[in-house]
Amino acid sequence: MNRAPGPTLADIARAAEVSTATVSHALNGTGRLADATRRRVREIATGLGYAAPSAPRTRSLGLAVTTFAGSAWNFVAVSYFSQWLTAATAAAHAHGYALTTLPADRGAGTPWHTLAVDGMLLLDSPRGDPVLSALRARGIPVVFDGRPADPRPGDVWVDNDHAATTREVLGHLAAAGARRIALHGGFGDEHYTYAVTRAYEEWCAEHGRAPLVIPFAPDDAPGHAFDRAFATRAADAVYCLYDPGARQALAAAARHGLTVPEGLLLVCASEDPAYERSAPPVTTVTLNPALTAETAVAALIAIVESGTGGPPSPPTVPAGLLVRASSVRR
């Protein structure tokens, strides 16, 4: 993992209009600096392509979920990420590596510029990801869960075939009698959201149906985003892209007098086992997080230990449609 010569501490100090001591403190997480100063110096260092001196091998990997603009949200509470983390930890330990999970918040106290790991696993990396920029500048190998929004030659990621999965879901709903299928998504700025939305719009165009994208909001427990579509019966089926989506749709359907599945067909991409026990049981799409995690960890360790690139083509993990009562009309 050789790095080209980059800017020095003095170059960063000139660009940030601070002393080299301030730059050193900001990059190393030491000294008494204002959070704003520390953050600004680190951002300038990343923008200039600063690479910290090579550190010795640690036999430790890092894991971060960097989507949703770096807000301090608890991704471990989401079934997909909790299963991913459990499987990744087991896989890393099986290879003799530790695994450090970083918080979602990207504040000045988060050690992206000083984290001592041999490689990083990035989940749902969005466009313009500052964490990715910092890792690239330091020359730390990265393997992605999900295609990065701005891939570079040699990038390695593990993903599902979201286009094929979306078409399978829409075909299933259409076969069950749906004529006005809405997509509940449009929230994240990662490849998953774009890929599913694009496949949905293409399918609608091919089948002569008007697309209807209902915006998802994580705090919309009553499902108010569905109100207009359900009140006017503009949708008779919904495919939810995010874990809480089906609960929001069920709440809104009950408020508008729609029964599931008779009045509304429902499918949700989720690993939450509670959907199997809901009333009615909800059809889900599993993205197989455990297999994805194991594949990503193996790829990252192979890169770390060989010092070369990853597999010639990104590994694809199959998704699965688990059909239950919410999408089958009797």
Side-chain angles (χ1 to χ4, degrees):
M1 302 298 297
N2 295 326
R3 295 190 291 261
T8 65
L9 296 186
D11 295 328
I12 300 169
R14 280 192 294 271
E17 298 181 342
V18 297
S19 67
T20 54
T22 297
V23 172
S24 178
H25 286 314
L27 298 181
N28 293 316
T30 58
R32 295 182 177 180
L33 300 180
D35 284 350
T37 300
R38 195 183 303 276
R39 185 183 304 110
R40 185 171 65 87
V41 171
R42 288 181 173 182
E43 290 174 350
I44 290 173
T46 299
L48 292 176
Y50 173 73
S54 298
R57 288 279 301 278
T58 64
R59 294 201 69 81
S60 179
L61 307 176
L63 181 151
V65 180
T66 58
T67 193
F68 302 155
S71 57
W73 64 293
N74 181 20
F75 59 84
V76 181
V78 178
S79 294
Y80 178 88
F81 295 117
S82 64
Q83 292 182 34
W84 212 105
L85 177 57
T86 299
T89 301
H93 290 177
H95 287 84
Y97 282 77
L99 181 65
T100 299
T101 303
L102 279 298
D105 186 17
R106 301 176 198 159
T110 307
W112 304 117
H113 296 266
T114 58
L115 183 65
V117 293
D118 297 334
M120 280 290 298
L121 300 157
L122 287 190
L123 283 67
D124 288 346
S125 178
R127 195 174 307 279
D129 187 352
V131 175
L132 175 58
S133 298
L135 296 172
R136 290 196 194 279
R138 295 180 60 195
I140 294 178
V142 175
V143 168
F144 302 86
D145 170 19
R147 179 183 180 274
D150 304 302
R152 293 184 181 180
D155 278 349
V156 177
W157 62 85
V158 183
D159 206 356
N160 313 99
D161 187 339
H162 297 301
T165 303
T166 301
R167 288 178 173 273
E168 181 182 6
V169 171
L170 298 176
H172 167 71
L173 290 170
R179 293 294 176 265
R180 302 176 303 282
I181 305 173
L183 183 71
H184 185 215
F187 181 71
D189 193 24
E190 75 292 327
H191 176 70
Y192 167 67
T193 298
Y194 289 114
V196 175
T197 303
R198 182 168 58 249
Y200 165 74
E201 291 173 344
E202 290 174 352
W203 185 92
C204 288
E206 292 168 8
H207 291 79
R209 304 190 184 190
L212 174 59
V213 177
I214 297 174
F216 167 80
D219 56 353
D220 182 23
H224 288 305
F226 295 97
D227 284 347
R228 183 173 181 180
F230 287 1
T232 62
R233 302 303 192 258
D236 62 0
V238 176
Y239 177 27
C240 302
L241 298 194
Y242 301 106
D243 190 78
R247 286 186 288 275
Q248 297 176 4
L250 288 170
R255 195 168 58 253
H256 289 276
L258 285 170
T259 57
V260 177
E262 291 78 12
L264 180 74
L265 297 169
L266 183 61
V267 177
C268 183
S270 174
E271 312 299 330
D272 189 345
Y275 280 132
E276 188 175 1
R277 304 185 298 272
S278 63
V282 174
T283 295
T284 57
V285 171
T286 175
L287 301 180
N288 285 319
L291 179 56
T292 301
E294 293 164 1
T295 305
V297 169
L300 181 57
I301 291 175
I303 295 171
V304 167
E305 296 186 346
S306 68
T308 59
S313 59
T316 300
V317 171
L321 179 62
L322 307 177
V323 178
R324 301 188 182 103
S326 71
S327 65
V328 179
R329 287 191 178 128
R330 293 179 292 276

